[in-house]
């Protein structure tokens, strides 16, 4: 009789397929724990049930049915929802799904039918199932011309223990926080009072600052490595949709290595977005993602997405309000991060704090007064109104955080920036195919205008200037506080063409000024 290896393939396909179609955004190390866990668990389950039934063929079919019923429920639920025009099928579908697998598995256990032909069919089908994703992965690996991520060596100056006179440095990114002009012209919102409140707190507010790149990954890769990314364009060439080079530059950056070499403790406040979720260079990582309101585990984004497709998690999320469970977690997560940022204390040396805050970035979960905004409430108004509500809440929390940080002794260096502005409306209709080279001037200005404000404890802002972009933030800080001699970089803004051409950069500086 054929050995029933199909359960192992069923367990493999659940992670192999999403990896195959998203390998441009995933490092294999991020999926390796899932791959090993799924295969080992399926193998152990097969051996246990085989020993219980004393029939390898029936055990194989039972395990495959069990795995399909548990691991693929979310995909079936999504398909039925799509079939019925976006209306979730509800509890009836869940009951029918569970009943089918219970009856099928019960029949195999109780009636003990012969399954030799079925085993051969399942083995053949399983092999056919993985051919396409395996081929896709192979083609992706063969065509991967991306250069290895450069390991940027830290400066040799001032290695070892940080000096007590070195200031703490807080680098806080408020994702998609639009510039003043965009808020006025696109959102009909006057943000001058907030900006003036920062000036009253002795911040240098950079008027009409703009992002250096279109999206977070490119922007942070450039800022954290004190360099523009033209060399990636030269090395990778046109037509690449591989995000991993810029992700790698974020995860292993010159700024992080330099401050650690100087004796700073690096504290990382990540987001649910995988490239900033955690950093292996950090001395401490805060706020691992929470899968469910009552279940906190440090799952990465890939693992969380897979778990959300399983029957137990989908049912639990439905009981906790479906998508609102994830939205409520974001609502709570933002508040907790901001609260904890204010309570940090240096111990044996200075702190370098990186915080990536996904506000006013969607999901829009905040009313202007800080109350939770439900999916129904968000859907009842415009995207622009939701954005402004969340921005008003963000402004209040920034003011509170700044006051708490300035009360520290000694007060820290504080960099408050956006990495990108909000997307134009047309982008939301077709994100993957949107051609930035054909975006209008108005769309470019909306996307590139950002918040940018810096606080130095001594109030000496002679090295700062209006129109400065984020790429020059750390050259200024390192020159001022560490005695470095970095040259200021051109305050140039670039866009890439599309998600399929990430490294053909177009200079749009004059458009977005």
């Amino acid at each position: 009789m054929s050995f029933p290896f199909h359960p192992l393939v069923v367990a493999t396909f659940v992670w192999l397929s999403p990896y195959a179609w998203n390998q441009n955004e995933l490092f294999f190390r991020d999926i390796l724990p899932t791959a090993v866990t799924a295969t080992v668990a399926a193998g152990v389950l097969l051996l246990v049930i085989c020993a219980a039934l004393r029939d390898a063929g029936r055990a194989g079919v039972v395990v495959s049915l069990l795995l399909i019923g548990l691991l693929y429920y979310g995909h079936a639920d999504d398909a039925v929802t799509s079939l019925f025009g976006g209306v979730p099928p509800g509890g009836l579908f869940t009951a029918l799904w569970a009943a089918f697998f219970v009856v099928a598995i019960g029949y195999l256990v109780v009636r003990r039918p012969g399954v030799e032909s079925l085993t051969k069919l399942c083995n053949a089908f399983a092999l056919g199932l993985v051919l396409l994703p395996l081929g896709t992965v192979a083609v992706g690996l063969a065509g991967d011309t991306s250069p290895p991520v450069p390991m940027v060596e830290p400066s040799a100056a001032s290695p070892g223990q940080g000096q007590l006179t070195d200031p703490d440095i807080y680098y806080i990114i408020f994702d998609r926080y639009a510039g003043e002009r965009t808020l006025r012209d696109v959102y009909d919102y006057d943000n001058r009072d907030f900006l003036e409140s920062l000036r009253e707190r002795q911040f240098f507010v950079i008027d009409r600052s703009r992002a250096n790149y279109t999206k977070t990954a490119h922007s942070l890769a450039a800022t954290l490595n004190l360099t523009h990314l033209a060399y990636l364009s030269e090395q990778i060439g046109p037509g690449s949709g591989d995000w991993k080079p810029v992700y790698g530059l974020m995860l292993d950056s010159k700024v992080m290595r330099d401050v650690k070499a100087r004796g700073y403790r690096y504290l990382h406040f990540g987001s649910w977005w995988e490239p900033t979720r955690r950093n292996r260079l950090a001395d401490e990582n805060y706020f691992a993602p929470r899968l469910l309101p009552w279940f906190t585990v440090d799952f990465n984004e890939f693992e969380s997405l897979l778990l959300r497709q399983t029957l137990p998690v989908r049912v639990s999320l439905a009981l906790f309000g479906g998508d609102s469970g994830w939205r409520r977690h974001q609502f709570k997560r933002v508040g907790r991060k901001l609260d904890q940022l204010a309570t940090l204390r240096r111990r044996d040396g200075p702190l370098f704090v990186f915080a990536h805050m996904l506000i006013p970035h969607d999901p829009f979960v905040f009313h202007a007064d800080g109350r939770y905004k439900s999916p129904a409430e968000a859907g009842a108004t415009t995207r622009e109104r939701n954005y402004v509500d969340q921005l008003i809440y963000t402004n209040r929390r920034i003011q509170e955080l700044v006051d708490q940080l300035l009360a520290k002794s000694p007060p820290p260096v504080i960099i408050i920036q956006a990495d990108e502005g909000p997307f134009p409306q047309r982008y939301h209709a077709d994100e993957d195919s949107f051609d930035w080279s054909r975006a209008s001037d108005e769309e470019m200005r909306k996307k590139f205008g950002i918040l940018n404000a810096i606080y130095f404890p001594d109030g000496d802002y002679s090295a700062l200037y209006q129109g400065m972009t984020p790429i020059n933030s750390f050259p200024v800080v390192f020159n001022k506080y560490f005695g470095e001699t970095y040259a200021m970089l051109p305050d140039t803004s670039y866009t890439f063409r599309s998600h399929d051409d990430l490294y053909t950069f177009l200079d749009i500086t004059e458009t977005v000024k």
Side-chain angles (χ1 to χ4, degrees):
M1 183 176 183
S2 300
F3 177 76
F5 59 79
H6 52 88
L8 302 179
V9 180
V10 169
T12 297
F13 185 79
V14 76
W15 61 264
L16 180 63
S17 180
Y19 172 64
W21 302 117
N22 295 280
Q23 58 185 316
N24 281 342
E25 298 187 51
L26 292 167
F27 294 101
F28 188 75
R29 64 173 180 262
D30 293 329
I31 70 159
L32 185 59
T34 301
V36 172
T37 301
T39 303
V40 171
V44 170
L45 188 60
L46 178 61
L47 291 175
V48 170
I49 294 183
C50 184
L53 298 181
R54 297 183 180 180
D55 184 332
R58 282 192 300 124
V61 178
V62 167
V63 172
S64 285
L65 286 171
L66 186 61
L67 292 175
I68 292 170
L70 291 175
L71 302 181
Y72 292 85
Y73 166 78
H75 299 288
D77 186 50
D78 290 340
V80 174
T81 299
S82 177
L83 183 65
F84 286 92
V87 179
L92 177 60
F93 175 75
T94 305
L96 291 174
W97 178 271
F100 170 80
F101 287 98
V102 168
V103 170
I105 292 172
Y107 175 78
L108 288 167
V109 172
V110 175
R111 299 298 297 271
R112 302 185 179 185
V115 294
E116 184 171 354
S117 297
L118 182 59
T119 297
K120 293 178 180 179
L121 179 63
C122 288
N123 282 344
F125 179 77
L127 286 177
L129 192 66
V130 297
L131 284 179
L132 180 59
L134 278 176
T136 302
V137 170
V139 169
L141 292 176
D144 187 2
T145 58
S146 303
V149 174
M151 295 287 289
V152 184
E153 291 301 323
S155 168
S158 304
Q161 185 63 44
Q163 301 299 310
L164 293 179
T165 55
D166 288 339
D168 293 346
I169 301 172
Y170 284 73
Y171 179 43
I172 309 174
I173 302 298
F174 288 91
D175 208 309
R176 297 187 192 168
Y177 194 119
E180 181 182 12
R181 179 171 57 180
T182 297
L183 292 172
R184 182 188 65 242
D185 296 345
V186 178
Y187 292 93
D188 192 27
Y189 182 74
D190 187 345
N191 204 34
R192 286 179 296 181
D193 286 347
F194 169 70
L195 298 178
E196 188 58 34
S197 75
L198 292 181
R199 293 188 180 97
E200 291 171 356
R201 290 165 170 83
Q202 306 307 310
F203 272 76
F204 187 90
V205 177
I206 301 171
D207 296 325
R208 293 206 174 184
S209 187
R210 57 194 182 277
N212 294 110
Y213 292 89
T214 316
K215 298 195 74 174
T216 300
H218 294 78
S219 293
L220 290 185
T223 300
L224 291 172
N225 288 283
L226 292 77
T227 182
H228 279 294
L229 304 178
Y231 71 97
L232 289 181
S233 180
E234 296 167 1
Q235 293 178 1
I236 298 174
S240 173
D242 189 357
W243 289 92
K244 293 193 291 295
V246 282
Y247 288 176
L249 286 168
M250 294 165 56
L251 293 167
D252 189 2
S253 71
K254 178 173 176 55
V255 166
M256 276 44 166
R257 286 182 171 270
D258 269 22
V259 295
K260 284 181 66 69
R262 295 175 184 279
Y264 274 73
R265 287 180 59 240
Y266 164 28
L267 309 184
H268 186 90
F269 285 71
S271 67
W272 50 258
W273 184 52
E274 185 59 30
T276 63
R277 183 180 65 95
R278 61 184 297 112
N279 193 297
R280 289 182 293 178
L281 294 178
D283 295 289
E284 294 182 43
N285 282 279
Y286 289 80
F287 298 102
R290 179 173 293 184
L291 182 66
L292 293 170
W294 39 266
F295 187 45
T296 303
V297 179
D298 189 13
F299 292 120
N300 64 35
E301 189 176 4
F302 182 78
E303 294 162 346
S304 296
L305 289 172
L306 293 188
L307 285 167
R308 284 176 177 274
Q309 300 298 330
T310 65
L311 179 62
V313 172
R314 270 294 180 100
V315 170
S316 296
L317 286 173
L319 293 175
F320 282 99
D323 180 58
S324 64
W326 179 76
R327 288 171 59 86
R328 283 191 179 276
H329 169 50
Q330 174 66 0
F331 172 77
K332 295 176 181 177
R333 177 190 181 99
V334 166
R336 285 198 300 265
K337 284 171 66 176
L338 289 167
D339 290 342
Q340 193 153 4
L341 278 170
T343 64
L344 298 176
R345 295 287 185 271
R346 65 163 65 192
R347 293 204 290 260
D348 301 320
L351 302 178
F352 179 84
V353 181
F354 172 90
H356 184 204
M357 307 298 304
L358 287 179
I359 52 171
H361 187 297
D362 52 24
F364 300 117
V365 296
F366 290 98
H367 283 286
D369 61 5
R371 291 179 296 112
Y372 173 69
K373 180 177 285 190
S374 69
E377 290 173 317
T381 188
T382 64
R383 186 178 188 89
E384 289 74 17
R385 184 66 253 172
N386 284 322
Y387 180 89
V388 169
D389 283 350
Q390 194 140 291
L391 180 111
I392 294 171
Y393 167 76
T394 302
N395 285 350
R396 176 168 64 82
R397 292 307 306 262
I398 291 175
Q399 291 168 330
E400 293 172 353
L401 175 62
V402 164
D403 288 341
Q404 291 164 319
L405 294 181
L406 295 182
K408 294 177 180 293
S409 181
V413 170
I414 307 171
I415 304 172
I416 294 177
Q417 286 176 351
D419 50 340
E420 56 173 328
F423 287 108
Q425 190 62 39
R426 285 196 309 122
Y427 177 85
H428 297 293
D430 189 5
E431 297 183 8
D432 290 336
S433 300
F434 189 84
D435 188 344
W436 286 100
S437 68
R438 297 184 178 181
S440 68
D441 291 355
E442 291 77 14
E443 288 173 327
M444 286 293 193
R445 283 193 286 268
K446 177 180 180 181
K447 185 58 190 164
F448 277 80
I450 59 169
L451 170 71
N452 193 354
I454 299 176
Y455 175 83
F456 291 152
D458 65 1
D460 177 11
Y461 296 113
S462 57
L464 303 182
Y465 53 92
Q466 294 302 333
M468 194 178 89
T469 60
I471 201 166
N472 280 312
S473 301
F474 286 104
V476 168
V477 171
F478 285 6
N479 291 349
K480 179 178 177 65
Y481 289 100
F482 301 154
E484 296 284 9
T485 57
Y486 287 106
M488 299 297 282
L489 295 163
D491 289 301
T492 317
S493 294
Y494 296 97
T495 186
F496 53 76
R497 290 187 182 276
S498 70
H499 284 195
D500 294 324
D501 194 0
L502 296 173
Y503 302 100
T504 299
F505 297 121
L506 307 174
D507 186 339
I508 46 90
T509 306
E510 293 305 314
T511 298
V512 299
K513 272 187 176 179

